[in-house]
Structures are given as structure tokens and as C-alpha cells.
Amino acid sequence: MRVLIKGAGVAGLAAAHALVARGVEIAVSEPSPGVAGAASWYAGGMLAPWCERESAEEAVLTRGIGAVDWWEAALPAGSVHRDGTLIVAPPRDSGELRRFALRTSGFRWLAAEEIAALEPALAGRFREALFFPEEAHLDPRNALSTLRADLEARGVPFGGDIDESDFDLTVDCTGAARIGDAAGLRGVRGEMLYLHTDEVALSRPVRMLHPRIPLYIVPRGDGLFMCGATMIESDDAGPITARSLMELLNAAYALHPAFAEARLVETGTGVRPAFADNLPRVSLQKNTITVNGLYRHGFLLSPALAEEVATLVVGGQLKRGHAR
Ligand SMILES: Cc1cc2nc3c(=O)[nH]c(=O)nc-3n(C[C@H](O)[C@H](O)[C@H](O)COP(=O)(O)OP(=O)(O)OC[C@H]3O[C@@H](n4cnc5c(N)ncnc54)[C@H](O)[C@@H]3O)c2cc1C
């Protein structure tokens, strides 16, 4: 069976990886050159199923828990950082920490000196924190580029205008491009920025809770930090607004004043594709498997969805009449 994957964001590349691992002949169709431009390009790369449970269904935790191992197996050693997640809140918002703790599991409380031991740059800044030791993070851009290069090295063709009719089956991973066409799919705008400073060093994602402007900062190494992200009910992929930029920068400054002197090296906007329950779907119709609705969990849930796609493709169902 020959399978065409449409879309080289994280959903498409993970599905491609899982299919190639099972010996399926595939090609990947992607109109954008490289991997830039997709929602996946702007992601934080946090593999944080316990933290995400604060606002997500239990399925995000149960399906996301295997993501760290999957990415470690798929990427070169050292690409996945198993350093956990730190959650802090300004003293006046300590109620936010307690609310977060009530809605999650898999953490321990840290006192001020333990925060300082874990992240010396934050010494003296927060009285208490939550630490989720099993969580991890990766650099999404490296992960996407590596997956693509690996697939190309194994002979998988990539192209912008591959003829779908040459294939027995299509796996549609086109994300927000399906808004307006896939029933119930909507966009959730996420604005983010990259700061560079040598004045702050962090070893793991730090989330700072706030009733209106929550912030996370993900260290990329060499003084680079990804700061995110807004959650706006809109599929507008246009540039970051002045308000969002000010709010994210204010929050970064509240986390550590040295961010005031940081260089703003990039801003960006990604549109997260989401269904009403914010859970992803893998659906099969005729000759097309559709994977969509990864919302804010593309890197966390693509591994589980990719394995689901691979099971559908190499399992019995498709051979019994779905393929072209
Ligand atoms: C600011 C931000 C931060 C985030 N942080 C995290 C995080 O820390 N952890 C996490 O797990 N998730 C995170 N996410 C969510 C994650 O990025 C998304 O869930 C994920 O990128 C969705 O992946 P996708 O492959 O479905 O879509 P996309 O990444 O948008 O990829 C779709 C691809 O399909 C291509 N395409 C479109 N039309 C066609 C067509 N007709 N034919 C072929 N190809 C087509 C597009 O060019 C694109 O490359 C974040 C998202 C944002 C915006």
C-alpha cells in the first residue's frame, strides 16, 4: 500500500515516522518550503501531560504520558530534556498555585531554598513552587528538521504538488488549513516570542501563574528563551499585537527583571487547530485518515496519534475495502 501524508507539521511527520518504521511506502506533501510557518514551528516543545491536566481532559494525560519515550527513541541522544517543569506564582497570586495543585498530580511542593537549588537564577524570587519532575521538553524546530531529514535519508519523497491519485490512502495532517471545511474545527491563536540574554540561566520550562496573563518560558540553550503564549479564540495568523507583546514582556520581567535587558529576537503566531472539547481526532473516511485538533498538545499527543494511524494502516480494516 502507498500512503500520502499531507502536511509536514508535527502530526504529519510523526505519522510518517511511525509508518516508515513499519515498512509502509509513503510520500509527504507539504506546500511550504522547510518546516517553518506551521503551528508546530511556534510551539514551546513542552512534553507536560501532568501540568496540562490543569485545563485538559484526563485523556491528554493518559495519551501523553508515553510521548517522552517516543521522542527519545525518534531523535538523537540529548534532544529531549528530562528536567521537569517548575510552576511559580508571584506572592500575591499564591492562590493560583493552590488552585493549580488541586487540579493536577505528579508534582511536589518546593520551598524557597529548593527553588534556588533547582533554578539558581530564581533564588529569592518566589516563596514556593510546584515541581513536576517527570515532565520534559525539546526544541520543536530541531525535532521537526531532524524527523524530516531522517525520513528523506530513508528515501521518503517530499514535495509541494504530489498527485494524490497515485496513492492508495491519504493521511490528512493539514491542521488549521482545514478550518471552515472540517466540521467543528476552530483556531486558537497563540502568540509567542524569543528573547536572548546571557543574564538569566534556566534549565527547564518555568510557568508563572497569573489570573489573566499566565506565562511560560522554555530555555533553548545559549541564552535563548521561548516565551509564550497567548490563547485567543481566533484563526488569525497575523503578527503579534502590541497588547500581547506588552503582556508577555511584562510577565517575563516579573519572572526575572533581567529579561528587561534581553534582546527581542523573534515574534510569531501559530494557529492551534482545536475541536470543541480540545481533544484531537483520528478519523477514517473512505480513503482518507484525518488527524487533527491537536490544540496545545501537538508534540505531546502526536506520538500516540501516529501509532494509532500506523495501527489503522497496517491493521486489517483498510485492506477490507477502504483503500483506492
Ligand atoms: C505558541 C504555541 C505554543 C505551543 N506549545 C506547545 C507545547 O509546548 N507542546 C505541545 O505539545 N504543543 C504545543 N503547541 C501546539 C502545537 O504546536 C500544535 O498542536 C501542533 O503544531 C499542530 O500540529 P499539526 O501538524 O496538526 O499542524 P501544523 O503544525 O499547523 O502543520 C500543518 C501542516 O500542513 C501543511 N498544509 C496545509 N495545507 C496543506 C495541503 N493542502 N497539503 C499539504 N500540506 C498542507 C501546512 O503547511 C503545515 O506545515 C503550541 C502551539 C502554539 C501556537
Side-chain angles (χ1 to χ4, degrees):
M1 178 182 293
R2 298 185 72 228
V3 177
L4 178 67
I5 311 254
K6 282 173 77 175
V10 67
L13 291 175
H17 181 85
L19 288 174
V20 166
R22 285 164 176 81
V24 180
E25 188 186 344
I26 66 161
V28 179
S29 124
E30 167 60 59
S32 317
V35 282
S40 306
W41 189 249
Y42 299 105
M46 293 175 289
L47 305 173
W50 287 274
C51 281
E52 287 299 307
R53 182 71 179 92
E54 183 252 341
S55 59
E57 301 285 332
E58 178 75 12
V60 171
L61 174 58
T62 52
R63 304 200 77 191
I65 231 159
V68 181
D69 289 340
W70 191 95
W71 283 110
E72 261 192 346
L75 299 175
S79 305
V80 178
H81 308 282
R82 291 180 180 256
D83 297 311
T85 307
L86 189 66
I87 312 285
V88 298
R92 68 177 176 284
D93 295 321
S94 63
E96 289 290 316
L97 267 186
R98 265 154 252 297
R99 189 190 59 78
F100 199 95
L102 283 172
R103 297 186 56 84
T104 53
S105 62
F107 61 84
R108 60 175 194 266
W109 282 97
L110 300 186
E113 57 278 10
E114 295 168 295
I115 300 171
L118 211 55
E119 293 290 2
L122 301 181
R125 301 200 56 74
F126 300 98
R127 283 203 292 264
E128 53 186 359
L130 300 172
F131 180 50
F132 292 76
E134 300 301 322
E135 296 192 336
H137 68 285
L138 50 71
D139 181 333
R141 297 178 177 186
N142 280 347
L144 296 168
S145 309
T146 305
L147 277 190
R148 178 168 177 159
D150 183 53
L151 288 162
E152 285 176 327
R154 291 172 188 224
V156 174
F158 281 70
D161 53 357
I162 299 178
D163 186 355
E164 210 169 332
S165 64
D166 290 343
F167 294 81
D168 303 299
L169 181 77
T170 299
V171 182
D172 186 318
C173 300
T174 54
R178 295 291 310 277
I179 292 172
D181 153 40
L185 193 70
R186 73 187 203 283
V188 181
R189 174 177 160 93
E191 297 153 302
M192 49 72 72
L193 47 98
Y194 273 92
L195 293 175
H196 184 272
T197 175
D198 293 323
E199 304 300 314
V200 187
L202 297 173
S203 301
R204 56 188 53 74
V206 178
R207 299 188 186 205
M208 195 174 69
L209 305 183
H210 185 279
R212 284 175 294 106
I213 312 154
L215 168 85
Y216 58 76
I217 293 198
V218 188
R220 292 276 188 260
D222 294 327
L224 195 61
F225 297 89
M226 184 274 190
C227 306
T230 56
M231 295 276 292
I232 298 169
E233 289 292 327
S234 164
D235 57 13
D236 173 7
I240 190 169
T241 62
R243 175 198 290 269
S244 297
L245 183 59
M246 282 189 294
E247 289 181 345
L248 288 171
L249 289 174
N250 278 339
Y253 176 72
L255 181 73
H256 198 297
F259 282 118
E261 301 301 327
R263 305 291 166 117
L264 176 59
V265 292
E266 181 185 331
T267 62
T269 301
V271 176
R272 309 173 183 91
F275 291 107
D277 57 6
N278 294 332
L279 291 174
R281 310 254 195 284
V282 174
S283 58
L284 169 63
Q285 252 189 338
K286 293 191 181 157
N287 306 316
T288 302
I289 297 174
T290 302
V291 183
N292 214 323
L294 280 104
Y295 183 50
R296 47 187 278 163
H297 305 127
F299 285 81
L300 183 61
L301 296 183
S302 280
L305 301 182
E307 297 304 320
E308 198 177 319
V309 168
T311 304
L312 268 177
V313 172
V314 299
Q317 294 112 302
L318 298 176
K319 287 176 194 143
R320 285 197 297 271
H322 281 292
R324 283 181 185 108

